[in-house]
RNA sequence: GGGGCGUUAGUUAAGUUGGUUAUAACGCCGGCCUGUCACGCCGGAGGCCACGGGUUCGAGUCCCGUACGCCCCGCCA
């Protein structure tokens, strides 16, 4: 037997043809004289009918079929007349089996291979090859394939060359923790698995390749989140002789093509933009989900003018240089005390000390709030005015350092937006966030560190600040944000030796350290480097958002669990003493 | 490193203030059935209640610890 068609393509036009289908037994309905089998392959499901009239031997053999047997069927395509199954694309026809061949039987699977049957994720990961049989999973990876294809076609058409970079690289400090690979030939020396192709793509620009892209794995030994895995894929690109506008234009074009191809949606270009400061002020996040409102309201100035307005925590916060912001929940006054208490617990889990609140009563009075007793009417009225508070609303306050206040309210906003059903189903809202600070203060190092990486260029108008007030320098960096996820980030790099020198000074990286760590790149930049910049897309995250998956694991074929293990293969595993000896490695396990 | 939630037939879940034989659905096995399509009907098998301690006359249920899974903080230039 040789396959003539897939299980997803037969329709009325094939009626009367003899066909051969191969696939898995998806469902079996035995009516005695007739046995119906839904045959499944990658492309779809076709109903096969076994009965004595069309094939007595086949009908007899079909009685032994069980779920997930792998079979081949030869038979004639027949119309189902009025008895169509509207749920199947092939529902207008069926195949009357004349010959059945069983390629392989199958043990009873740990879970039924069907979209509606939800097994625990743990079990799905242990039997990932079975989980991947589910049509819903196959659709995801087909989508992922199409995004790859669109990306290659689009970027090639825009003059980009697909070029590769090494995974085994020299360890470079800063940034994500690297996975280390011991060198057998150089005892005591290690490669690092590349956390990104960053330095190599810049070298391609120095080499004159002009426009590079790559769909590439990156490795980062950091803790996991629902959108973070230790190995993930980037669509990485870099361009010579461009401004950030040109990089953004290419990226927007790519995203628009992907939206059109995958969702059939036209994307309105150019995309909206927010500065980092604006994003933090209005949404409390540098990756805001702008599919819904519920914006934060800053009342710091009003509190300052009123000298705390009789509320001790307000007064303390502004005296210490902190801020006061609130989230107004329209109609939130209907929430019960315990609901609000739960919200306070949520806020605490985000690092808040508490969650002061006020329900708005008639005439703008505040009720059910410790604030209500203390607050001066003048400040209360001003805050109500700034927040647009109406009777029946509830105001949720955070006071303290800006970073904490924005962090807590920003996360609370997302949680509430989801809980209150403010996010329109199936909608997407991409935007740019730009003008990030070039440096940020690291508590750990008690010093300014690069917010992006040390080769990110400052905004030209901020260059003078490098010597006077480096903390205020904004960068030529930009993130593409989609529905609350950072799906791409990039920057225009420094190609001017003088500016690079100043950045290193701010970062406290001396001559010796530079040569040691980045010498090859600095050398390269000194031999005639074009102005250049680029961006890298987190492909897994993008796919996750576009297909509506709950986690990045659903769009990676063989992902790791949160503790970094592969439940199917058992990785990571032990090394043999001989392997360790070869690598000149001795294992010292932690105590206990 | 820290916080939270979970773990009961093959699977997904229920299991009351601690109380006799731990339920259901799907799956599995056997039988019947020629128009089902989440087929239907009849019958059956299937349990170290994650693991280890403890409290108690008595623990799936209460307490402590461990393992595993998930979510979050830190971390992710």
């Amino acid at each position: 037997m040789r396959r003539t068609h897939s299980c997803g393509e037969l329709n009325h036009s094939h009626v009367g043809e003899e066909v051969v289908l191969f696939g898995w037994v998806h469902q079996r309905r035995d009516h005695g004289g007739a046995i119906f089998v839904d045959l499944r392959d990658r492309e779809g499901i076709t109903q096969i009918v076994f009965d004595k009239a069309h094939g007595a031997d086949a009908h007899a053999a079909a009685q032994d079929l069980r779920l997930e047997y792998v079979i081949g069927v030869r038979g004639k395509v027949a119309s189902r007349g009025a008895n169509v199954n509207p749920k199947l694309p092939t529902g207008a026809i069926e195949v009357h089996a004349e010959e059945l061949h069983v390629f392989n039987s199958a043990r009873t699977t740990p879970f039924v291979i069907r979209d509606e049957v939800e097994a625990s994720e743990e079990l799905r990961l242990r039997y990932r090859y079975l989980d991947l049989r589910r049509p819903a999973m196959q659709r995801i990876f087909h989508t992922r394939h199409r995004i790859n294809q669109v990306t290659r076609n689009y970027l090639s058409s825009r003059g980009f060359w697909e070029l590769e970079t090494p995974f085994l690289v020299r360890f470079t400090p800063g940034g994500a923790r690297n996975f280390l690979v011991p060198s057998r030939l150089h005892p005591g020396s290690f490669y690092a698995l590349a956390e990104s192709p960053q330095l190599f793509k810049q070298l391609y620009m120095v080499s004159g390749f002009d426009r590079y892209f790559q769909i590439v794995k990156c490795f980062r030994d950091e803790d996991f989140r629902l959108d973070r895995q230790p190995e993930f894929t980037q669509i990485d690109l870099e361009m010579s002789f461009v401004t950030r506008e040109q990089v953004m234009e290419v990226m927007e074009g790519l995203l628009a093509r992907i939206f059109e191809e995958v969702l059939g949606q036209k994307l309105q270009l150019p995309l909206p933009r927010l500065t980092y400061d604006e994003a933090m002020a209005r949404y409390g996040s540098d990756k805001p989900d702008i599919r819904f409102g519920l914006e934060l309201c800053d009342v710091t100035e009003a509190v300052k003018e009123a000298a705390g307005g009789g509320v001790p925590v307000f007064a303390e916060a502004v005296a210490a240089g902190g801020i006061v912001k609130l989230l107004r929940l329209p109609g939130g006054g209907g929430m019960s005390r315990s609901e609000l208490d739960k919200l306070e617990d949520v806020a605490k889990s985000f690092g808040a000390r508490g969650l002061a609140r006020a329900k708005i009563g008639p005439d703008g009075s505040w009720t059910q709030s410790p604030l209500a007793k203390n607050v001066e009417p003048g400040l209360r009225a001003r805050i109500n005015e700034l927040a647009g508070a109406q009777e029946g609303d509830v105001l949720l306050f955070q006071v303290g350092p800006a970073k904490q206040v924005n962090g807590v309210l920003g996360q609370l906003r997302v949680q509430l937006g989801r809980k209150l059903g403010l996010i329109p189903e199936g909608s997407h809202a991409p935007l740019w966030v730009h003008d990030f600070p070039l440096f940020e203060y690291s508590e750990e190092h008690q010093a300014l560190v690069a917010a992006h990486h040390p080769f990110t260029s400052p905004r030209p108008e901020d260059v003078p600040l490098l010597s006077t007030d480096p903390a205020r320098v904004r960068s030529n960096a930009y993130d593409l944000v989609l529905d609350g996820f950072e799906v791409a980030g990039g920057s225009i790099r420094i190609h001017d030796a003088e500016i690079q020198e100043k950045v290193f000074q701010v970062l406290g990286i001396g001559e010796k350290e530079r040569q040691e760590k980045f010498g090859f790149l600095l050398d390269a930049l000194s031999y005639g480097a074009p102005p250049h910049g680029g961006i890298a897309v987190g492909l897994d995250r993008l796919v996750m958002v576009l297909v509506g998956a709950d986690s990045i694991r659903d769009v990676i074929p063989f992902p790791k669990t949160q503790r970094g293990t592969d439940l199917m293969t058992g990785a990571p595993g032990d090394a043999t003493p001989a392997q360790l000896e070869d690598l000149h490695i001795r294992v010292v396990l932690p105590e206990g």
Side-chain angles (χ1 to χ4, degrees):
Chain A
M1 275 201 279
R2 179 176 174 148
R3 179 159 69 172
T4 61
H5 296 81
S6 79
C7 294
E9 64 176 305
L10 295 177
N11 57 44
H12 257 305
S13 71
H14 300 90
V15 169
E17 281 183 38
E18 180 173 285
V19 299
V20 175
L21 301 182
F22 291 172
W24 283 260
V25 175
H26 188 65
Q27 188 66 272
R28 192 179 74 105
R29 295 175 293 279
D30 185 349
H31 285 239
I35 297 171
F36 300 93
V37 165
D38 292 340
L39 192 65
R40 183 194 72 234
D41 68 11
R42 197 181 74 179
E43 306 300 330
I45 288 173
T46 299
Q47 172 163 288
I48 313 292
V49 184
F50 295 91
D51 64 27
K52 291 193 181 106
H54 295 102
D57 290 349
H59 175 257
Q63 287 174 344
D64 293 328
L65 291 179
R66 294 294 180 269
L67 298 187
E68 300 307 315
Y69 277 29
V70 185
I71 63 173
V73 171
R74 185 180 54 77
K76 279 208 178 60
V77 180
S79 168
R80 292 181 58 171
N83 188 27
V84 298
N85 181 351
K87 291 180 189 167
L88 289 181
T90 61
I93 56 91
E94 62 194 8
V95 173
H96 290 164
E98 290 160 18
E99 186 186 348
L100 167 65
H101 183 74
V102 177
F103 292 112
N104 227 329
S105 63
R107 294 159 63 194
T108 302
T109 50
F111 51 90
V112 185
I113 313 300
R114 237 183 275 163
D115 286 347
E116 316 81 64
V117 178
E118 263 316 306
S120 71
E121 190 176 10
E122 192 174 347
L123 201 68
R124 290 171 53 205
L125 290 179
R126 195 175 303 281
Y127 298 94
R128 188 59 157 179
Y129 44 88
L130 297 179
D131 189 36
L132 292 174
R133 276 189 196 167
R134 293 164 58 224
M137 294 299 277
Q138 301 212 337
R139 275 195 296 277
I140 288 174
F141 290 102
H142 184 217
T143 297
R144 194 170 167 141
H145 158 73
R146 278 154 55 214
I147 291 174
N148 280 330
Q149 290 302 109
V150 167
T151 299
R152 289 200 161 95
N153 291 337
Y154 174 79
L155 291 176
S156 298
S157 77
R158 296 293 305 257
F160 290 80
W161 289 0
E162 184 170 5
L163 301 167
E164 293 172 81
T165 52
F167 288 143
L168 294 173
V169 301
R170 186 196 161 121
F171 168 74
T172 47
R177 184 183 297 115
N178 288 104
F179 286 99
L180 291 181
V181 180
S183 163
R184 178 177 55 83
L185 298 175
H186 298 272
S189 289
F190 295 82
Y191 300 97
L193 290 181
E195 64 186 75
S196 81
Q198 181 61 39
L199 301 179
F200 291 96
K201 71 174 174 177
Q202 291 191 246
L203 295 174
Y204 272 136
M205 298 304 102
V206 173
S207 301
F209 282 77
D210 206 284
R211 291 184 171 203
Y212 139 98
F213 86 99
Q214 187 179 192
I215 298 175
V216 61
K217 278 285 183 80
C218 303
F219 305 89
R220 296 181 186 177
D221 189 6
E222 297 289 349
D223 284 349
F224 295 64
R225 287 291 183 279
L226 75 81
D227 63 346
R228 273 162 43 186
Q229 281 271 311
E231 54 176 308
F232 61 98
T233 305
Q234 286 187 343
I235 301 169
D236 191 45
L237 62 93
E238 193 78 6
M239 309 166 74
S240 292
F241 307 111
V242 290
T243 62
R244 73 173 188 182
E245 293 302 324
Q246 288 165 284
V247 178
M248 290 163 102
E249 188 271 321
V250 164
M251 182 64 235
E252 289 186 348
L254 174 59
L255 190 70
R257 286 281 283 272
I258 290 172
F259 261 67
E260 205 168 337
E261 169 72 14
V262 174
L263 303 172
Q265 284 178 19
K266 276 265 187 247
L267 203 55
Q268 189 69 38
L269 298 182
L271 298 177
R273 296 184 187 186
L274 284 178
T275 65
Y276 170 84
D277 288 341
E278 212 178 337
M280 292 306 289
R282 291 171 57 188
Y283 301 98
S285 170
D286 61 357
K287 43 180 197 294
D289 187 342
I290 60 166
R291 289 175 299 174
F292 63 102
L294 219 61
E295 294 188 21
L296 312 190
C297 175
D298 192 338
V299 296
T300 308
E301 285 311 311
V303 169
K304 270 188 195 161
E305 280 165 26
V311 182
V313 288
F314 283 2
E316 284 162 27
V318 294
I323 62 172
V324 182
K325 288 176 88 166
L326 65 87
L327 202 53
R328 179 177 69 91
L329 296 189
M335 293 175 87
S336 70
R337 187 182 186 97
S338 73
E339 281 177 299
L340 287 168
D341 283 346
K342 260 181 213 155
L343 222 48
E344 177 157 18
D345 288 341
V346 172
K348 280 179 178 165
S349 78
F350 295 140
R353 271 176 300 168
L355 185 67
R357 65 241 189 183
K359 288 188 181 180
I360 308 298
D363 311 326
S365 63
W366 289 3
T367 62
Q368 295 188 29
S369 161
L371 296 172
K373 293 173 198 133
N374 301 321
V375 70
E376 290 165 5
L379 178 61
R380 191 187 68 199
R382 180 75 183 124
I383 288 176
N384 283 349
E385 184 193 343
L386 286 168
Q390 305 284 324
E391 181 178 350
D393 292 351
V394 68
L395 306 181
L396 304 171
F397 290 88
Q398 278 296 300
V399 300
K403 197 178 165 189
Q404 183 189 324
V405 167
N406 284 326
V408 171
L409 285 183
Q411 289 180 89
L412 211 54
R413 171 182 174 271
V414 170
Q415 187 112 351
L416 285 165
R418 232 176 264 150
K419 210 176 113 187
L420 301 175
L422 300 178
I423 302 170
E425 191 79 27
S427 75
H428 299 287
L431 77 148
W432 290 105
V433 176
H434 61 100
D435 286 1
F436 286 83
L438 186 59
F439 307 106
E440 59 190 16
Y441 187 77
S442 161
E443 296 287 342
E444 191 192 337
H445 299 97
Q446 302 273 303
L448 287 179
V449 298
H452 192 52
H453 59 63
F455 312 107
T456 302
S457 63
R459 305 230 46 195
E461 59 269 40
D462 288 358
V463 167
L465 289 170
L466 278 173
S467 340
T468 57
D469 192 359
R472 280 183 50 216
V473 175
R474 294 165 301 165
S475 69
N476 242 329
Y478 32 80
D479 280 357
L480 182 65
V481 175
L482 179 58
D483 304 350
F485 292 94
E486 179 196 326
V487 294
S491 67
I492 300 298
R493 330 298 178 187
I494 299 172
H495 67 279
D496 179 310
E498 210 172 305
I499 293 176
Q500 186 68 66
E501 169 67 27
K502 280 186 181 156
V503 169
F504 277 137
Q505 277 172 18
V506 171
L507 292 171
I509 301 177
E511 178 64 34
K512 193 174 159 214
E513 197 181 353
R514 298 170 207 178
Q515 280 311 318
E516 234 169 63
K517 292 172 177 171
F518 313 110
F520 63 97
L521 180 66
L522 298 176
D523 280 352
L525 293 175
S526 72
Y527 287 114
H532 60 287
I535 192 166
V537 179
L539 178 61
D540 315 272
R541 281 185 194 165
L542 180 65
V543 176
M544 174 179 87
V545 174
L546 293 183
V547 304
D550 293 326
S551 114
I552 196 171
R553 293 183 299 278
D554 280 342
V555 302
I556 295 177
F558 301 100
K560 307 285 188 289
T561 69
Q562 190 165 55
R563 291 186 69 253
T565 62
D566 179 335
L567 293 177
M568 185 179 64
T569 65
D574 293 334
T576 67
Q579 285 173 319
L580 292 174
E581 195 178 332
D582 250 10
L583 297 170
H584 325 288
I585 298 266
R586 187 173 301 141
V587 175
V588 182
L589 294 172
E591 305 271 333

